[in-house]
């Protein structure tokens, strides 16, 4: 078996994807690559091979693929929506050039498969043609954020490289459109828009209140717990290619909520962890609000369900319970 490279291994997805892949395919077979800006989690750095890799450095990437005999890449490094608005050039370098480097270096080094996440940000705007609720998989896409435009471009590249008529371009590129991802393992990411939900749950456990919700109380967004996101990536990577009618653009959905609704669940579940009188207050951020308003309320994931058997395991209430349980244990240094 060839080896697997995970870029962005210090990030929110990478931090949970690497251990899951190592458990499944063997610790020595999964190489965790981080840029060095954020340290890798201890369990990742100590349990298997790691390399330092700046995804915008094409020759270093080529070297790494050849040196380690990589045949599958999970390309998780990316700059999230808020940061890509604030720093367009860095967004371009990481989100466009980084992915282009991965695709081209893969062809040059006989990598067979690249898994790359897209996002809810690739959808929109909404109206008669494209509903905001249950947004179809295949619809008109003209997003209005730098991040979303890069994601549409990634989806187009997935089609281009996977269906290339030239035999030498033998690359199988696959990806899902992730909703906001909930996770307790890494700290919330200030670069994102959906991360308010992580901040709310972390702050509920650490401080008993959340005082800076950047989005309005009724802003509805699709979300998912990280274990479901990891399952989606691995199941799609393993799916029978003959059954796949799409490449890098599968909607995957779990649940949707507003800040007010999440606060209600945090209050209810939090009472089991001794959190009483949970308070939420707002510190509205116009950039994040504009980004969130341009995204779907919920997504229709029937293509993923029928083409590769996608189905989420986690409800919102179970997610919040599990996150609080783990965050409490982490606070008490039990994990
Ligand atoms: N979670 C991402 C963000 O908020 C969207 O994919 O930027």
């Amino acid at each position: 078996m060839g080896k697997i490279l995970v870029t962005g291994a210090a990030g929110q997805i990478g931090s949970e994807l690497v251990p899951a892949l190592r458990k499944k395919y063997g610790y020595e077979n999964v190489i965790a690559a981080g840029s060095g800006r954020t340290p890798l989690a201890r369990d990742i750095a100590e349990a298997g091979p790691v390399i330092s890799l700046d995804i915008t450095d094409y020759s270093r990437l080529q070297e790494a693929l050849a040196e380690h005999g990589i045949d599958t890449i999970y390309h998780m490094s990316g700059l999230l929506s808020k940061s890509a608005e604030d720093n367009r050039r860095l967004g371009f370098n990481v989100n466009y050039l980084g992915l282009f480097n991965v695709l081209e270096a893969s062809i040059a080094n006989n990598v067979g498969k690249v898994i790359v996440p897209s996002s809810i940000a690739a959808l929109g705007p909404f109206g008669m043609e494209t509903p905001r609720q249950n947004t179809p998989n295949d619809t008109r896409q003209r997003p209005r954020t730098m991040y979303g435009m890069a994601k549409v471009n990634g989806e187009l590249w997935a089609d281009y490289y996977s269906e290339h008529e030239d035999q030498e371009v033998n690359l199988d590129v696959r990806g899902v459109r992730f909703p906001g991802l909930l996770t307790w393992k890494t700290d919330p990411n200030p670069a994102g828009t959906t991360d308010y939900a992580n901040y709310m749950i972390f702050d509920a456990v650490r401080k008993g209140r959340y005082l800076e919700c950047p989005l309005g109380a009724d802003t509805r967004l699709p979300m998912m717990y990280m274990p479901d996101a990891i399952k989606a990536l691995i199941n799609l990577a393993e799916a029978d290619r003959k059954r796949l009618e799409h490449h890098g653009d599968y909607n995957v959905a779990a649940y949707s909520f507003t800040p007010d609704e999440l606060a209600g669940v945090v209050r209810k579940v939090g009472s089991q962890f001794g959190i009483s009188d949970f308070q939420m207050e707002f510190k509205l951020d116009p950039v994040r609000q504009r980004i969130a308003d341009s995204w779907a309320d919920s997504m229709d994931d029937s293509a993923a369900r029928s083409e590769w058997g996608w189905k989420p395991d986690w409800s919102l209430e179970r997610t919040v319970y599990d996150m609080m349980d783990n965050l409490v244990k982490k606070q008490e240094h039990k994990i």
Side-chain angles (χ1 to χ4, degrees):
M1 165 185 164
K3 305 232 163 140
I4 296 171
L5 178 75
V6 180
T7 70
Q12 281 178 312
I13 303 176
S15 297
E16 297 193 41
L17 178 63
V18 170
L21 291 171
R22 282 181 172 164
K23 203 162 157 213
K24 195 169 172 66
Y25 301 111
Y27 281 70
E28 288 311 307
N29 293 325
V30 180
I31 290 113
S35 66
R37 278 191 290 273
T38 314
L40 293 166
R42 235 194 34 224
D43 62 335
I44 291 182
E46 289 173 1
V50 298
I51 58 170
S52 157
L53 180 66
D54 173 355
I55 207 66
T56 63
D57 182 345
Y58 186 60
S59 14
R60 171 81 190 101
L61 176 61
Q62 291 243 50
E63 258 169 46
L65 297 183
E67 189 186 324
H68 294 279
I70 303 294
D71 78 1
T72 301
I73 302 178
Y74 284 78
H75 178 47
M76 299 299 128
S77 61
L79 200 68
L80 287 178
S81 56
K82 166 77 163 81
S83 286
E85 282 315 286
D86 292 347
N87 192 340
R88 293 187 291 275
R89 189 168 298 279
L90 183 63
F92 175 82
N93 285 336
V94 175
N95 293 346
Y96 285 85
L97 188 60
L99 175 57
F100 186 65
N101 282 347
V102 165
L103 296 167
E104 287 294 319
S106 293
I107 293 166
N109 291 277
N110 299 315
V111 171
K113 206 179 271 180
V114 174
I115 310 300
V116 56
S118 184
S119 158
I120 38 168
L123 295 165
F126 305 99
M128 293 293 277
E129 212 179 320
T130 303
R132 187 183 279 276
Q133 278 88 28
N134 221 20
T135 308
N137 205 96
D138 305 314
T139 185
R140 181 173 180 269
Q141 291 172 264
R142 283 284 194 284
R144 302 274 163 81
T145 63
M146 293 304 280
Y147 179 72
M149 288 183 259
K151 289 300 187 190
V152 174
N153 183 70
E155 293 180 2
L156 293 171
W157 276 341
D159 290 348
Y160 175 90
Y161 284 89
S162 299
E163 293 173 3
H164 209 285
E165 47 299 319
D166 180 349
Q167 289 301 307
E168 279 175 31
V169 183
N170 185 18
L171 198 58
D172 181 357
V173 187
R174 304 180 181 189
V176 293
R177 290 184 187 132
F178 275 139
L181 297 178
L182 298 176
T183 177
W184 59 269
K185 197 177 167 190
T186 47
D187 282 345
N189 191 337
T193 299
T194 56
D195 260 271
Y196 87 83
N198 288 315
Y199 278 110
M200 192 189 305
I201 298 167
F202 272 67
D203 280 8
V205 171
R206 288 178 183 166
K207 306 175 193 160
R209 56 190 197 278
Y210 177 51
L211 302 181
E212 38 196 43
C213 183
L215 301 181
D218 297 326
T219 310
R220 183 174 301 282
L221 288 169
M223 303 266 185
M224 176 183 289
Y225 195 25
M226 192 62 85
D228 272 335
I230 302 300
K231 180 176 94 159
L233 290 173
I234 296 177
N235 286 1
L236 175 59
E238 289 193 336
D240 179 357
R241 190 172 183 178
K242 292 194 285 296
R243 284 187 60 201
L244 302 182
E245 287 170 25
H246 297 76
H247 299 288
D249 55 354
Y250 284 100
N251 284 357
V252 285
Y255 36 69
S256 294
F257 54 76
T258 65
D260 246 3
E261 289 166 356
L262 179 61
V265 177
V266 165
R267 228 163 262 134
K268 183 173 165 207
V269 175
S271 62
Q272 298 172 64
F273 293 91
I275 300 163
S276 55
D277 293 332
F278 172 75
Q279 299 296 325
M280 172 171 68
E281 283 175 24
F282 295 88
K283 194 170 157 197
L284 296 179
D285 170 1
V287 176
R288 285 193 178 82
Q289 188 66 55
R290 177 177 68 75
I291 294 171
D293 288 343
S294 78
W295 291 352
D297 285 5
S298 58
M299 288 186 286
D300 173 355
D301 59 2
S302 47
R305 286 175 185 260
S306 69
E307 290 174 35
W308 48 277
W310 158 249
K311 196 165 92 55
D313 293 327
W314 291 82
S315 67
L316 176 58
E317 212 167 299
R318 280 187 61 229
T319 300
V320 174
Y321 184 93
D322 195 64
M323 285 181 69
M324 287 187 166
D325 192 38
N326 280 296
L327 287 170
V328 168
K329 285 183 187 141
K330 209 170 164 183
Q331 231 171 17
E332 293 168 353
H333 304 291
K334 289 191 183 142
I335 45 175

